């Protein structure tokens, strides 16, 4: 398995398990606090999704059972008692052991039967005292459990009934520890003609065979007796050494955003001060001082690169977990889905990636479960049997855009509105006034769900409200577009608080600007006579295409329109050919300085009006602030 994915899983699982421990302690001290129950539920729900995505089924199954208890508590059907708190903590302890097993190279498979038995007892109304008595009897021989392999005749009419009869016959003489496949599959007749039981009993092998062969349609019995385990004394130091050597190390730490921001701001201040000292050194022409400043400049560049690398990573670190997840979900739901990933090389702030990962998991699972139809449904409406799910990331102005699109059934507005009214989220009067977009946004409300059945994937009303909360906490927004019968798009807009982009530095008469290199077609020098006037605008015949020419300095009030063109000293002018989503145009500048890799910072709310022309700003090596042009604004 990919080590990067494992490290992400270890980091995020420890974070969620810690949150579970802390919030359960809060709940223990304040059992009436339903808000903390919801927080516990969300952490468990996210952890379950992570575990299932990584293929750790026992981990996901135990978390799902714990969710069932939490769901009863949240619904008011189960009071928060010390026994409930104990069983939740026991679940968390088991989950921590499972994660430790994965870190040691395993698959998170531990014996959690006693815990699951307690959960089932709580949900069925059995007291834990009654359960303890039955467990003492049932588990006394589990260490020496027999493996019973049972084959039922191929031509048997009711194989599931025969299998259940076998288990019922054995229960009177011992304890069935485990079934393969699980009981649900056996009862649904989804096991072919073979099943395996782990069975703890004092009966002999011959006695068991006699019991089972008395049942009609049982064709063959094979019983394996486990070998007695010899106790082995292991030196404590040796055991510790073995544990350390087998454990997969997570060689990364999480650093609060505030610390890195503070470090970056301090570094920028040092660059400004170094620039001032550099000017003084050139003024006094101190050769030795200049040599040391050059060395300091090299060190500053190394520090800058380290800081940038700390913050910026390709979004593929999140995206690459989804192909396996979508494949698994599609198989479970009986769907065919083609996943397309676009823009995985888009660089995003590391802190944003850490925070947004869980939200993307929710949105993708939502698209697979609710959005894309089954093969039969798609065929009925004339769609290809394979649904298309697109995950895309790109930079747009001063935002990072992440889109999850699918060509499924779309959002049923009437159904969403009806469900919101029936759940008391809004009144009928309020519903009549809502716009189409406002109706879509109802699905982001806490507790809202259109699913009829609670499953591993949906139906609990958990997910989209968490996504919205996370995105808003990052200063972004979640937009929903949908067309019934054709599909939906969930668009995440996140501010580009810090991003590395390749840019071209240019200069007008008075000011330097940067423009993203990805929007530049080429830089040329043209004769002034080549520029013509068409309908009051300066235009140029550029490669058999008429494009508008814009004097950048005149746009920002540095002089009259056409100042550079009217300058008789210059016969040629530099022009930057730029493209955006709508058109190609040219920018007249005084000087094209060259390419730079720059750090893009948001201008913030104070300069919100400037976003029409600028997508952000950067600080160059000399400490000067340079505005970054938004190519879509021209």
């Amino acid at each position: 398995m990919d080590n990067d994915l494992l490290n992400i899983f270890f980091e995020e699982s420890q974070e969620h398990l810690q949150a579970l421990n802390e919030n359960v302690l809060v709940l223990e001290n304040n059992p009436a606090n339903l808000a903390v129950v919801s927080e516990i539920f969300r952490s468990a729900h996210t952890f379950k999704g992570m575990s299932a995505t990584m293929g750790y089924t026992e981990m996901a199954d135990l978390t799902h059972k714990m969710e069932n208890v939490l769901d009863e508590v949240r619904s008011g059907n189960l009071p928060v008692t010390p026994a409930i708190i104990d069983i939740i903590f026991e679940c968390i302890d088991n989950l921590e052991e499972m994660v430790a097993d994965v870190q040691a190279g395993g698959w998170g498979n531990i014996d959690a039967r006693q815990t699951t038995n307690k959960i089932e007892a709580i949900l069925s109304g059995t007291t834990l005292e009654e359960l303890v008595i039955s467990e003492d009897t049932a588990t006394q021989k589990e260490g020496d459990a027999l493996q019973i392999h049972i084959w039922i005749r191929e031509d048997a009419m009711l194989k599931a009934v025969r299998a259940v009869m076998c288990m019922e016959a054995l229960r009177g003489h011992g304890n069935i520890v485990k079934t393969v496949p699980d009981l649900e599959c056996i009862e649904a007749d989804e096991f072919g003609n073979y099943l395996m039981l782990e069975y703890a009993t004092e009966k002999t092998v011959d006695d068991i065979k006699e019991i089972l062969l008395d049942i009609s349609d049982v064709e063959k019995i094979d019983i394996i007796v486990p070998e007695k385990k010899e106790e082995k004394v292991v030196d404590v130091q040796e055991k510790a050494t073995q544990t350390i050597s087998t454990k997969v190390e997570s060689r990364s730490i999480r650093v609060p955003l505030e610390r890195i921001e503070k470090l970056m701001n301090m570094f920028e201040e040092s660059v400004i001060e170094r620039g001032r000292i550099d000017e003084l050194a050139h003024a006094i022409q101190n050769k030795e001082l200049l040599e040391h400043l050059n060395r300091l400049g090299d060190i500053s560049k190394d520090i800058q690169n380290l800081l940038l690398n700390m913050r910026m990573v390709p979004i593929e670190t999140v995206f690459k977990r989804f192909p396996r997840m979508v494949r698994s979900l599609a198989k479970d739901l009986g769907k065919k889905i083609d996943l397309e990933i676009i823009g995985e090389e888009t660089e995003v702030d590391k802190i944003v990636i850490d925070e947004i990962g869980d939200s993307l998991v929710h949105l993708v699972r939502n698209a697979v479960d609710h959005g894309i139809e089954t093969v039969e449904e798609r065929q009925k409406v004339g769609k290809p049997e394979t649904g298309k799910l697109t995950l895309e990331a790109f930079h747009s102005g001063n935002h990072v855009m992440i889109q999850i699109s699918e060509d499924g059934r779309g959002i049923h507005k009437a159904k969403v509105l009806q469900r919101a009214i029936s759940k008391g989220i809004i009144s009928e009067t309020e519903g009549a006034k809502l716009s189409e977009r406002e109706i879509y946004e109802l699905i982001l409300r806490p507790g809202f769900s259109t699913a009829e059945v609670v499953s591993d994937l949906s139906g609990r009303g958990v997910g989209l409200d968490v996504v919205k909360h996370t995105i808003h906490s990052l200063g972004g927004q979640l937009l929903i577009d949908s067309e019934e019968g054709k599909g939906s798009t969930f668009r995440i807009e996140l501010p580009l608080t810090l991003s590395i982009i390749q840019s071209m530095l240019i200069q007008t008469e008075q000011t330097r600007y940067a423009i993203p290199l990805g929007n530049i077609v080429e830089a040329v020098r043209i004769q002034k006579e080549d520029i013509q006037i068409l309908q009051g605008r300066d235009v140029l015949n550029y490669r058999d295409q008429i494009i508008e020419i814009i004097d950048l300095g005149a746009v920002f009030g540095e002089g009259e329109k056409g100042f550079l063109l009217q300058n008789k000293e210059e016969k040629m002018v530099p022009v930057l050919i730029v493209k955006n989503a709508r058109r190609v145009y040219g920018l007249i500048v005084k000087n094209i300085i060259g390419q730079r890799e720059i750090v893009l910072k948001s201008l913030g709310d104070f300069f919100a009006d400037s976003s029409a022309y600028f997508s952000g700003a950067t600080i160059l090596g000399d400490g000067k602030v340079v505005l970054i042009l938004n190519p879509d604004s021209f």
Side-chain angles (χ1 to χ4, degrees), residues 176-383:
I176 298 175
V177 177
K178 183 179 180 182
T179 67
V180 178
D182 59 31
L183 187 58
E184 290 181 3
C185 291
I186 293 172
E187 291 177 343
D189 203 359
E190 297 175 354
F191 64 99
N193 71 321
Y194 163 80
L195 66 151
M196 188 277 288
L197 309 176
E198 286 188 10
Y199 185 57
T201 182
E202 295 182 355
K203 292 285 185 180
T204 64
V205 171
D206 292 336
D207 290 339
I208 296 170
K209 285 185 177 181
E210 185 178 347
I211 292 169
L212 294 175
L213 290 173
D214 279 345
I215 299 170
S216 60
D217 292 329
V218 174
E219 183 177 37
K220 180 183 175 184
I221 300 293
D222 188 11
I223 300 176
I224 299 175
V225 180
E227 296 180 3
K228 294 288 183 181
K229 295 181 181 179
E230 296 182 5
E231 293 190 2
K232 186 176 180 180
V233 178
V234 181
D235 181 72
V236 174
Q237 184 65 37
E238 180 185 350
K239 185 175 181 181
T241 305
Q242 291 173 352
T243 304
I244 293 171
S245 64
T246 57
K247 186 173 180 178
V248 178
E249 284 191 58
S250 176
R251 301 187 61 82
S252 61
I253 59 171
R254 293 198 175 191
V255 180
L257 175 62
E258 294 79 8
R259 292 187 183 180
I260 297 180
E261 285 286 359
K262 186 175 180 180
L263 180 60
M264 192 68 184
N265 291 334
M266 291 172 65
F267 171 73
E268 290 167 357
E269 290 295 327
S270 72
V271 170
I272 294 171
E273 292 300 321
R274 185 179 61 80
R276 291 173 180 168
I277 296 172
D278 200 17
E279 290 178 6
L280 291 173
H282 279 89
I284 63 176
Q285 287 298 309
N286 187 316
K287 184 177 179 181
E288 185 178 357
L289 180 58
L290 287 172
E291 289 177 357
H292 285 294
L293 282 172
N294 288 335
R295 173 59 181 155
L296 182 59
D298 293 337
I299 295 172
S300 294
K301 289 179 181 178
D302 292 338
I303 295 173
Q304 183 182 21
N305 289 333
L306 284 172
L307 285 171
L308 297 179
N309 289 333
M310 285 170 61
R311 290 291 299 263
M312 305 303 298
V313 293
I315 201 168
E316 67 175 345
T317 57
V318 175
F319 279 9
K320 64 185 179 182
R321 74 172 72 172
F322 292 115
R324 179 179 174 183
M325 172 182 161
V326 170
R327 176 183 178 278
S328 176
L329 293 178
K331 184 178 179 182
D332 292 342
L333 295 170
K335 301 179 180 182
K336 291 185 178 180
I337 299 176
D338 178 24
L339 174 64
E340 182 181 14
I341 295 179
I342 303 172
E344 62 266 32
E345 72 283 353
T346 302
E347 290 193 324
V348 183
D349 192 306
K350 176 65 166 67
I351 304 301
V352 172
I353 283 185
D354 287 343
E355 297 294 334
I356 207 67
D358 294 342
S359 298
L360 291 178
V361 168
H362 282 304
L363 289 175
V364 171
R365 289 167 69 93
N366 187 72
V368 173
D369 188 22
H370 292 290
I372 297 177
E373 311 95 329
T374 62
V375 173
E376 294 77 14
E377 290 173 331
R378 293 180 68 87
Q379 288 174 341
K380 285 181 182 178
V381 296
K383 290 183 178 181

Side-chain angles (χ1 to χ4, degrees), residues 369 449-456 458-460:
D369 188 22
S449 176
T450 56
E452 302 295 339
V453 180
V454 174
S455 68
D456 285 351
S458 62
R460 298 184 187 274

Side-chain angles (χ1 to χ4, degrees), residues 507-513 553 556-559 590:
Q507 186 169 8
T508 60
E509 281 290 327
Q510 302 174 12
T511 314
R512 289 182 298 177
Y513 299 97
F556 297 123
E558 293 184 10
K590 182 177 181 180

